[in-house]
Amino acid sequence: MIVVGAGIAGLAAAGARAEAGRRVLVLEARGQLGGRATAFVDRATGELVDNGQHVLFGCYHETFTFFRRVGADAHVRVQPSLEVPYLDASGRRSVLKCPQLPSPLHLLGAILDWDALPWSDRLRALRVAVPLLRARRGLGLQTGDETVSQWLTRHGQRGRLREWLWEPLAIAALNQSPAEAAAAPFLRVLALMFGPDPRDASIVLPTTPLHEMYALPARRFIESRGGEVRTHALARVHLAGHRVTGVDVRNESSGASRIIAAVPWFALAQLFTGASSLMDSTIAAASRMASKPIVTVNLWYDRAVMEDAFVGLPGRAMQWVFDKRQAFGERASHLSLVSSGAGDLVGLDNEALVTLAAREVAESIPGARNALLRRGTVIREKHATFSLAPGQPLRPAVETPVEGLFLAGDWIDTGLPGTIESAAIAGHRAAGALLK
Ligand SMILES: Cc1cc2nc3c(=O)[nH]c(=O)nc-3n(C[C@H](O)[C@H](O)[C@H](O)COP(=O)(O)OP(=O)(O)OC[C@H]3O[C@@H](n4cnc5c(N)ncnc54)[C@H](O)[C@@H]3O)c2cc1C
């Protein structure tokens, strides 16, 4: 049995199959495992640098199942409860911190105690309590073409509460502007984060570079169960009529008849050879899905500049900054600044992006004001996630009309935005469907 693609979805699927005692072959086109959640060596410093900061939440239950299975759960740090430090434009620090209360009262308690907001804004948060509780029960999720912005307005969310909490959360979770993204996936994220267990809202940060965090442990797990993970293995899957008839990697062909294609929407059309009209509509829909970018700027200063491991910068182009020194220890000495939904920034050149990021750091982070910036790099992930705008093509299920062919990846119809958790759910679903 073959899994094509060694991102989260492919490795989660292969890990589940391996655990069930099946021999799996994973084929990955690149030289590196991890797909959109990976790391590489920065040549100038020798440090391992993530292709973009990844934040997980306590509610990523399928992801943690995958991590525990392959022994990756020790490579993350989980907050005891949601705690988010912010720095305003002048560098004033405030913290949104959930008290020990049942969920979602803990969020309301945190907002009521958050001195960055005027009292009128804090009280406004009470108006989302009912829609949130309904969303937890699966109600009110049919929002049609309503966008996140429209939903927030309908529920009276405005002012600083909206600018500092809901909009940054929506942009981070959906990688798209709230004015553009559909409300339904945002509500699903809120329903999961503020579900019955208060720790579901906790922020979870990797303590190692991404491919070391989960991809290498997954590879070791699969290999320890008799499977194989091959890199530099761009695969083409043969379809004939209603069946899979084989997989080609360079000049080698295998007669495999059961495949999990864990490739992203933008790579699906190139995956297949042969003739089967059964996949035409899925391929056409995948090709029509729009992509959304994330821009990351990494900055190396001559000293440690941050008090917190990460901090929100409301109103800034770079919405979050992470101190990789605090995350990875001595092996890293850079800050990683993230701009999600970065359609406006992605076209700027590297110098402009580094200058912008360094200015925002100097203005917001008091410790950076006298520090010397030694180096800045930029990573543009143009296909970071798929668009959640109303009217985008429907997302497919893992099952396909072709016998032996299953799909996986964050873009499968999990109801969630393009996230690690969506990819892990889809990987596990595909593995489960194949076992049936
Ligand atoms: C910069 C950035 C920041 C992000 N931040 C977050 C975050 O904070 N939290 C979060 O939850 N999510 C985040 N995401 C989203 C998350 O990374 C993705 O949802 C997830 O990694 C998708 O995994 P996947 O397995 O579905 O796809 P991918 O990671 O894209 O894996 C697919 C793999 O298939 C391979 N492949 C494609 N075609 C072939 C072929 N023909 N043969 C062989 N191999 C092939 C690709 O090379 C790739 O390795 C972020 C993404 C980016 C880019």
Side-chain angles (χ1 to χ4, degrees):
M1 183 255 140
I2 291 181
V3 174
V4 180
I8 297 269
L11 292 172
R17 296 285 299 168
E19 189 178 56
R22 310 298 159 96
R23 285 179 67 151
V24 193
L25 170 61
V26 181
L27 300 173
E28 168 54 49
R30 296 196 202 165
Q32 173 90 340
L33 304 179
R36 276 171 285 148
T38 191
F40 58 89
V41 178
D42 173 64
R43 289 225 182 95
T45 60
E47 288 180 17
L48 275 164
V49 169
D50 288 336
N51 70 317
Q53 176 67 45
H54 280 61
V55 176
L56 294 74
F57 290 97
C59 59
Y60 279 23
H61 297 296
E62 294 273 343
T63 305
F64 291 118
T65 299
F66 164 47
F67 285 0
R68 277 191 295 274
R69 175 182 298 130
V70 301
D73 49 326
H75 301 161
V76 291
R77 191 174 297 131
V78 187
Q79 290 182 330
S81 65
L82 177 69
E83 182 171 345
V84 188
Y86 290 82
L87 290 171
D88 74 8
S90 62
R92 184 180 169 273
R93 184 174 180 276
S94 67
V95 183
L96 175 78
K97 185 171 190 257
C98 285
Q100 300 286 324
L101 287 173
S103 172
L105 281 180
H106 66 332
L107 174 66
L108 295 175
I111 295 172
L112 290 175
D113 201 34
W114 193 13
D115 61 5
L117 307 184
W119 270 106
S120 54
D121 276 3
R122 293 188 224 179
L123 293 172
R124 226 170 252 142
L126 296 171
R127 295 179 62 175
V128 290
V130 171
L132 197 58
L133 288 168
R134 278 171 51 79
R136 268 170 51 163
R137 298 206 316 271
L139 302 171
L141 295 172
Q142 305 307 326
T143 52
D145 281 352
E146 190 172 39
T147 63
V148 174
S149 291
Q150 289 163 341
W151 186 89
L152 290 172
T153 303
R154 180 154 67 86
H155 293 286
Q157 302 303 292
R158 50 195 166 84
R160 262 202 165 187
L161 175 64
R162 180 161 166 164
E163 287 157 23
W164 281 47
L165 179 65
W166 300 125
E167 295 191 344
L169 180 61
I171 295 172
L174 311 177
N175 188 30
Q176 196 161 11
S177 121
E180 223 180 49
F186 183 54
L187 280 181
R188 282 205 184 85
V189 170
L190 292 183
L192 287 184
M193 279 182 73
F194 302 106
D197 185 346
R199 279 170 311 175
D200 282 348
S202 295
I203 288 177
V204 179
L205 292 181
T207 55
T208 67
L210 283 167
H211 71 299
E212 286 181 11
M213 174 183 83
Y214 73 95
L216 295 180
R219 169 182 225 156
R220 284 193 289 272
F221 178 82
I222 292 160
E223 289 173 350
S224 72
R225 301 263 184 312
E228 191 188 343
V229 179
R230 263 189 232 163
T231 50
H232 300 291
L234 178 75
R236 306 290 309 272
V237 175
H238 284 280
L239 302 181
H242 66 282
R243 287 179 37 237
V244 173
T245 53
V247 177
D248 281 358
V249 176
R250 292 192 217 100
N251 299 326
E252 254 183 74
S253 283
S254 94
S257 58
R258 294 190 314 155
I259 308 286
I260 294 177
V263 306
W265 65 99
F266 53 86
L268 192 72
Q270 290 81 45
L271 182 64
F272 299 114
T273 61
S276 173
S277 56
L278 293 178
M279 285 301 288
D280 285 357
S281 62
T282 309
I283 293 170
S287 306
R288 285 201 313 275
M289 284 174 88
S291 296
K292 292 285 150 187
I294 294 181
V295 170
T296 301
V297 179
N298 292 312
L299 300 178
W300 279 261
Y301 287 92
D302 64 344
R303 66 195 79 168
V305 299
M306 278 178 63
E307 198 181 309
D308 298 291
F310 74 98
V311 72
L313 304 178
R316 300 283 185 186
M318 311 306 302
Q319 300 117 1
W320 300 94
V321 52
F322 296 83
D323 185 353
K324 302 304 265 196
R325 204 188 283 260
Q326 293 190 49
F328 297 168
E330 282 180 3
R331 59 196 298 205
S333 62
H334 58 284
L335 302 186
S336 199
L337 287 102
V338 179
S339 186
S340 299
D344 294 342
L345 294 195
V346 75
L348 298 183
D349 65 28
N350 287 5
E351 199 186 325
L353 285 166
V354 169
T355 306
L356 170 71
R359 180 169 51 75
E360 294 197 338
V361 166
E363 286 169 358
S364 303
I365 302 180
R369 287 181 191 146
N370 297 318
L372 178 71
L373 178 64
R374 290 213 160 116
R375 175 172 166 73
T377 60
V378 175
I379 305 162
R380 290 177 191 75
E381 286 279 7
K382 292 191 175 162
H383 299 287
T385 59
F386 50 87
S387 170
L388 294 160
Q392 281 288 301
L394 292 180
R395 293 159 63 182
V398 293
E399 294 86 359
T400 74
V402 175
E403 207 179 296
L405 176 67
F406 299 85
L407 302 178
D410 58 352
W411 62 290
I412 296 306
D413 186 15
T414 61
L416 292 177
T419 50
I420 288 177
E421 179 67 358
S422 182
I425 291 173
H428 289 162
R429 267 191 207 163
L434 223 153
L435 284 173
K436 275 187 221 150

